[in-house]
């Protein structure tokens, strides 16, 4: 309990810092709270039960905001090994379900999906294989236990659908097993088109649901929120990022045709526009997940420039904005600072050429 309280407060501080709600002398508060939580970590690991998974999830979320960020991948692996070991990915049999309350059953399902989303986010961001295949999951999606939970659970289920889609794109487009299938060029294009159609359908449905929700929410409530997951800009950004994942050079199509590169370039610029808008609204979390995504977008913009798939003049502003966000990470993020210098130099070169 002590570990969870301190770690939740430490994570909360990172959100308040992003939203500009912490004073300058409170900047180190998050690190101090995390230090107090970690005093109990050895006991947490010795439990090897569902509480261990809950605490590791909190630690994993906090690790996103560490400037090195190396521990997140390791933590996600431990979480998923414990989760699979306890059989949380399998639905409960009727006999066992009778011995549990509705709340206990739902808590078990939610814990699995939290672990799944965390692990899949890191795997997709790093371009690595996930620790669990979707075919090995039989638990139902989370459901609200009362009316007050409905909105939060809707957001959670949206996140799960996006994580599943990202995993499917990686498996069918980027995994090493794709090269063993010996697909014809036409079949490869069919895979891309099928995933594109599925992606568009999911996002159209989610956009409609978000629009209906915003119609019932007052302007003041929307303006005052510090959560980015309920933002339609965030949804549009995720759509563009998944399109980039789908169309960028891959095992399935190592050298995309110019038509695909044009689509790729378009979504790169769109993704960056939405990312920068969230940054201006203080809705962009400055963690290593955002850092990797930012670098991915910028690298692919450069790739598209080399292939003449993006207009030189159109991209120079985006690259300047990229450097601005990288510099905003702060002095502790040495890697972000070095990348900002690189993109500043690229931006200046583009200006000279144009």
């Amino acid at each position: 309990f002590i570990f969870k309280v301190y770690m939740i407060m430490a994570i909360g501080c990172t959100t308040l810092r992003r939203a500009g709600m912490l004073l300058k002398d409170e900047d180190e508060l998050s690190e101090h709270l995390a230090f107090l939580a970690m005093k109990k970590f050895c006991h947490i690991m010795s439990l090897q039960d569902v509480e261990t998974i809950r605490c590791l999830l909190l630690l994993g979320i906090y690790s996103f905001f560490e400037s090195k960020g190396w521990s997140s991948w390791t933590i996600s692996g431990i979480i998923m090994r414990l989760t699979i070991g306890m059989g949380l990915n399998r639905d409960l049999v009727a006999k066992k379900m009778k011995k549990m309350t509705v709340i206990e059953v739902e808590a078990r399902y939610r814990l699995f999906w939290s672990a799944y989303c965390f692990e899949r986010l890191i795997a997709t961001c790093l371009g690595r294989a996930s620790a669990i295949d979707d075919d090995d999951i039989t638990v139902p999606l989370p459901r609200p236990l009362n009316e007050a939970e409905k909105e939060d659970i809707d957001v959670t289920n949206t996140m799960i659908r996006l994580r599943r889609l990202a995993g499917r794109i990686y498996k069918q487009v980027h995994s090493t097993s794709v090269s063993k299938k010996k697909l014809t060029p036409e079949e490869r294009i069919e895979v891309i088109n099928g995933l594109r159609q599925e992606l568009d359908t999911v996002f159209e449905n989610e956009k409609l649901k978000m629009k209906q929700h915003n119609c019932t929410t007052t302007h003041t409530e929307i303006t005052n929120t510090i959560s980015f997951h309920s933002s339609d800009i965030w949804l549009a950004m995720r759509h563009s990022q998944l399109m980039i994942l789908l169309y960028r050079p891959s095992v399935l199509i190592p050298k995309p045709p110019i038509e695909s590169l044009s689509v790729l370039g378009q979504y790169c610029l769109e993704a960056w526009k939405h990312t920068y808008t969230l940054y201006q609204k203080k809705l962009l979390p400055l963690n290593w997940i955002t850092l990797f995504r930012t670098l991915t977008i910028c690298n692919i913009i450069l790739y598209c420039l080399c292939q003449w798939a993006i207009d030189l003049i159109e991209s120079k502003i985006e690259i300047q904005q990229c450097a601005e966000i990288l510099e905003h990470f702060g002095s502790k993020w040495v890697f972000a600072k070095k990348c900002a210098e690189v993109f500043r130099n690229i931006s200046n070169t583009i200006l000279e050429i144009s």
Side-chain angles (χ1 to χ4, degrees):
F1 176 77
I2 293 171
F3 179 92
K4 287 195 283 189
V5 168
Y6 280 131
M7 196 54 74
I8 288 168
M9 291 171 71
I11 294 167
C13 284
T14 64
T15 303
L16 294 174
R17 185 187 298 151
R18 181 254 298 165
M21 295 182 179
L22 280 186
L23 301 174
K24 284 187 178 180
D25 58 352
E26 294 174 329
D27 272 353
E28 305 299 322
L29 190 57
S30 179
E31 288 83 352
H32 178 64
L33 290 165
F35 170 76
L36 294 175
M38 290 305 290
K39 286 184 175 182
K40 304 290 181 183
F41 187 68
C42 288
H43 172 67
I44 295 299
M45 287 306 295
S46 67
L47 295 175
Q48 293 288 297
D49 60 6
V50 292
E51 285 304 320
T52 305
I53 298 175
R54 289 192 178 102
C55 292
L56 281 172
L57 280 167
L58 291 173
L59 178 61
I61 293 167
Y62 180 76
S63 74
F64 287 166
F65 296 90
E66 290 181 339
S67 54
K68 293 180 180 177
W70 298 329
S71 57
S72 302
W73 172 254
T74 306
I75 293 168
S76 71
I78 297 170
I79 287 172
M80 197 47 71
R81 286 297 182 195
L82 286 171
T83 300
I84 295 170
M86 293 179 200
L88 297 181
N89 57 308
R90 299 194 301 269
D91 200 359
L92 291 166
V93 295
K95 186 178 178 181
K96 193 171 183 179
M97 199 175 287
K98 287 178 181 178
K99 298 177 182 178
M100 300 170 69
T101 65
V102 174
I103 294 175
E104 287 173 335
V105 172
E106 183 60 26
R108 179 187 171 96
Y109 292 159
R110 291 182 187 185
L111 181 61
F112 168 75
W113 286 116
S114 297
Y116 173 89
C117 284
F118 178 77
E119 193 274 339
R120 188 58 63 87
L121 168 64
I122 295 170
T124 306
C125 187
L126 294 177
R128 296 174 182 171
S130 178
I132 188 168
D133 195 278
D134 286 354
D135 292 335
D136 295 324
I137 300 168
T138 56
V139 297
L141 292 174
R143 61 187 180 86
L145 295 172
N146 53 60
E147 192 61 32
E149 286 189 338
K150 190 175 184 306
E151 184 181 331
D152 286 338
I153 296 300
D154 281 346
V155 172
T156 299
N157 287 337
T158 297
M159 299 289 287
I160 294 169
R161 279 188 281 271
L162 298 184
R163 298 283 181 262
R164 278 180 155 173
L165 259 174
R168 204 172 300 130
I169 291 172
Y170 174 82
K171 186 175 180 180
Q172 297 183 34
V173 177
H174 296 279
S175 70
T176 52
S177 61
V178 173
S179 60
K180 299 175 184 177
K181 294 181 179 179
K182 307 295 182 184
L183 299 174
T184 64
E186 292 76 19
E187 288 172 331
R188 293 169 189 265
I189 294 296
E190 280 179 22
V191 171
I192 297 293
N193 291 341
L195 288 167
R196 166 80 186 261
Q197 190 175 359
E198 186 179 354
L199 196 54
D200 286 339
T201 302
V202 168
F203 274 92
E204 283 302 320
N205 292 337
E206 295 302 328
K207 195 195 303 184
L208 184 61
K209 285 196 290 185
M210 192 168 284
K211 187 177 181 181
Q212 290 170 345
H213 165 69
N214 290 340
C215 288
T216 60
T217 308
T218 66
H219 176 72
T220 306
E221 288 174 326
I222 295 173
T223 305
N224 292 338
T225 184
I226 60 174
S227 170
F228 53 90
H229 289 133
S230 56
S231 163
D232 53 351
I233 301 171
W234 174 84
L235 188 66
M237 180 191 71
R238 292 300 295 121
H239 178 256
S240 300
Q241 286 173 340
L242 287 174
M243 284 296 188
I244 291 171
L245 182 64
L246 181 61
Y247 280 99
R248 75 188 191 197
S250 60
V251 177
L252 184 70
I253 304 180
K255 294 183 178 180
I258 188 63
E259 296 81 11
S260 296
L261 287 176
S262 298
V263 174
L264 180 62
Q266 172 199 334
Y267 280 108
C268 274
L269 297 177
E270 270 192 34
W272 189 250
K273 180 183 73 173
H274 299 315
T275 300
Y276 193 73
T277 302
L278 289 173
Y279 163 71
Q280 289 180 311
K281 292 177 177 289
K282 296 182 178 180
L283 291 174
L284 188 71
L286 297 177
N287 56 32
W288 74 262
I289 295 288
T290 297
L291 176 59
F292 269 62
R293 284 175 172 168
T294 297
L295 293 176
T296 298
I297 293 171
C298 290
N299 287 337
I300 294 174
I301 286 176
L302 295 180
Y303 176 82
C304 289
L305 277 173
C306 292
Q307 304 297 321
W308 298 101
I310 291 181
D311 186 87
L312 191 67
I313 308 300
E314 284 183 11
S315 61
K316 65 181 180 182
I317 297 172
E318 279 74 12
I319 294 175
Q320 287 174 339
Q321 290 173 345
C322 171
E324 181 185 340
I325 289 181
L326 290 171
E327 286 170 350
H328 196 72
F329 271 80
S331 57
K332 290 182 180 178
W333 294 77
V334 179
F335 182 63
K337 189 177 180 182
K338 287 180 179 178
C339 290
E341 291 174 10
V342 171
F343 285 111
R344 284 282 183 207
N345 291 336
I346 291 170
S347 177
N348 293 336
T349 304
I350 288 174
L351 283 172
E352 287 174 14
I353 294 169
S354 59

